[in-house]
């Protein structure tokens, strides 16, 4: 299940991509399939080991084209172990709401992104997230949990202040909002509640089968209750030194 829409966020074979806070690796795997040179980075060692296993399995199965590479590594989002201007593309999906110093993370992403490079940022959307917080303290008051809820214009302004140029946004995963409302209402750790189990089966069926009816329904509902807000931006090229008119002959 991808949150980034690659029709709005073009990726070319050979692009060097950083999936920052990669989690289980869903975006990193898609970039690998598209022929990118992928680095999946997360502070969770267990998840990084699993991502590395999946990268190896994908290579063995021939799922990635020739020239594509994939590396999984532990790292700190506030101190990325890469030189300046190392990546053509940076993706950070459902991560910034967990990090107190979100401006510091944005600064690090800008540092490692090449001029002209592209960045995709996804966070939980304000409205659906407020419902979750209202229904359950346990949803967010946990170690490593969500510490803030972004309004769309607030996030876009932070991206702009970091030196990037936003160029588009959208909402995603409308069908997942009711699932999380149910989880919060019945208990975030209570997977046995009948409404939660039934809705989970629906989501699994939708992800596996991709029926037209639910695809159309989600597209229609995304602007209203999409669970995630997605923003895209580019890093501008530095302006050329001004022509002083001096004779350099």
């Amino acid at each position: 299940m991808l949150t980034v829409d690659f029709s709005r966020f073009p990726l070319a074979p050979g692009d060097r991509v950083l999936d920052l806070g990669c989690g289980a690796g869903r975006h990193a795997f898609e970039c690998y399939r598209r022929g990118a040179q992928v680095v999946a980075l997360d502070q969770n060692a267990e998840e990084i080991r699993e991502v590395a296993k999946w990268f190896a399995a994908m290579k063995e199965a021939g799922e990635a084209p020739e020239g594509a590479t994939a590396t999984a590594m532990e790292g700190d989002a506030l101190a990325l172990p890469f030189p300046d201007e190392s990546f053509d593309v940076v993706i950070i999906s459902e991560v910034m709401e967990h990090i107190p110093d979100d401006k510091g993370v944005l600064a690090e992403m800008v540092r490692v992104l090449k001029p002209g490079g592209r960045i995709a940022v996804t966070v939980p959307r304000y409205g659906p997230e407020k419902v979750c917080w209202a229904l359950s303290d346990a949803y967010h008051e946990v170690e490593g949990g969500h510490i803030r809820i972004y309004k769309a214009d607030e996030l876009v302004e932070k991206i702009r202040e970091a030196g990037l140029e936003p160029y588009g946004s959208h909402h995603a995963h409308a069908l997942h909002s009711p699932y999380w409302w149910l989880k919060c209402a019945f208990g975030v750790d209570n997977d046995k509640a009948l409404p939660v189990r039934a809705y989970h089966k629906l989501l699994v069926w939708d992800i596996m089968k991709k029926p037209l009816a639910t695809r159309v329904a989600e597209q229609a509902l995304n602007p209203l209750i999409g669970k995630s807000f997605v923003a895209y931006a580019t890093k501008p090229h530095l302006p050329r030194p001004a022509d002083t008119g001096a004779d350099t002959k």
Side-chain angles (χ1 to χ4, degrees):
M1 183 187 71
L2 299 174
T3 307
V4 172
D5 181 351
F6 286 93
S7 70
R8 310 180 195 219
F9 189 65
L11 191 69
D15 275 351
R16 186 163 166 78
V17 177
L18 172 63
D19 185 1
L20 180 56
C22 65
R26 57 201 172 104
H27 288 104
F29 300 148
E30 180 64 19
C31 293
Y32 190 31
R33 290 188 187 99
R34 289 171 178 261
Q37 298 176 3
V38 184
V39 177
L41 183 143
D42 201 285
Q43 66 177 4
N44 187 312
E46 184 176 346
E47 287 197 308
I48 284 297
R49 284 192 293 270
E50 286 300 311
V51 170
K53 290 178 183 177
W54 278 106
F55 279 151
M58 290 172 67
K59 182 178 181 179
E60 181 69 21
E63 291 189 33
E66 186 176 353
T69 61
T71 303
M73 62 184 294
E74 289 183 65
D76 182 352
L78 289 164
L80 295 174
F82 311 112
D84 296 355
E85 302 178 4
S86 299
F87 294 93
D88 302 290
V89 172
V90 177
I91 296 171
I92 184 167
S93 183
E94 311 299 302
V95 173
M96 288 182 56
E97 68 275 9
H98 296 272
I99 301 177
D101 187 8
D102 57 347
K103 290 185 178 180
V105 173
L106 277 168
E108 272 294 86
M109 289 190 289
V110 172
R111 179 183 68 79
V112 302
L113 188 64
K114 296 177 182 178
R118 303 170 304 287
I119 187 169
V121 181
T122 92
V123 297
R125 184 184 186 175
Y126 184 82
E129 187 76 348
K130 285 286 284 186
V131 174
C132 288
W133 283 43
L135 289 171
S136 171
D137 290 337
Y139 171 79
H140 63 96
E141 291 182 356
V142 295
E143 184 178 355
H146 298 184
I147 62 170
R148 71 173 66 81
I149 307 176
Y150 288 100
K151 292 184 176 180
D153 55 357
E154 174 194 0
L155 178 62
V156 170
E157 184 56 31
K158 286 190 175 185
I159 290 171
R160 186 175 286 112
E161 289 174 355
L164 298 166
E165 295 180 351
Y167 70 82
S169 65
H170 62 89
H171 299 98
H173 309 320
L175 296 182
H176 287 251
S177 290
Y179 172 71
W180 282 104
W181 297 338
L182 288 170
K183 287 271 288 181
C184 290
F186 286 92
V188 291
D189 296 321
N190 180 12
D191 294 328
K192 295 182 179 180
L194 180 59
V196 175
R197 287 192 290 116
Y199 203 99
H200 183 262
K201 287 183 179 179
L202 170 67
L203 291 179
V204 172
W205 172 76
D206 175 57
I207 291 170
M208 299 301 294
K209 300 297 185 180
K210 298 181 175 64
L212 178 61
T214 55
R215 295 301 87 217
V216 171
E218 184 157 78
Q219 287 300 315
L221 290 171
N222 274 338
L224 301 174
I225 60 168
K227 183 72 170 67
S228 295
F229 173 69
V230 188
Y232 305 106
T234 60
K235 180 176 178 178
H237 290 275
L238 294 175
R240 295 179 179 179
D243 185 358
T244 61
D247 186 356
T248 58
K249 292 184 179 178

